[in-house]
Amino acid sequence: MVANQYLILMEPAYELADEEAQARMKKHGYITELYKTAVELGYDIVEYSLYEMCANPLNPTVF
């Protein structure tokens, strides 16, 4: 079992990134539709928002 009730993912958000960050993410093989895929698989998304502290603006992180 991975998680009993909740799983917290902090991942770069392709959908919320600007064009420069999206290009970088595609170049490096980042996932591009994590939120959409989770919803399509039937997962309940409790929160999907940008994390204020981000070390690299080309990796806008969501949780």
Side-chain angles (χ1 to χ4, degrees):
M1 179 179 294
V2 173
N4 189 17
Q5 290 185 343
Y6 297 99
L7 176 65
I8 298 172
L9 297 176
M10 295 182 73
E11 295 289 331
Y14 178 85
E15 299 84 0
L16 302 179
D18 63 22
E19 289 182 20
E20 181 182 8
Q22 286 181 348
R24 180 181 180 280
M25 290 178 189
K26 280 192 169 188
K27 177 182 176 184
H28 292 288
Y30 284 49
I31 189 166
T32 59
E33 296 183 341
L34 182 60
Y35 179 84
K36 177 183 171 188
T37 301
V39 170
E40 287 175 353
L41 290 172
Y43 291 100
D44 294 323
I45 308 300
V46 176
E47 184 171 343
Y48 183 75
S49 60
L50 283 172
Y51 188 63
E52 291 180 21
M53 296 179 62
C54 183
N56 183 347
L58 295 177
N59 284 337
T61 304
V62 295
F63 67 99

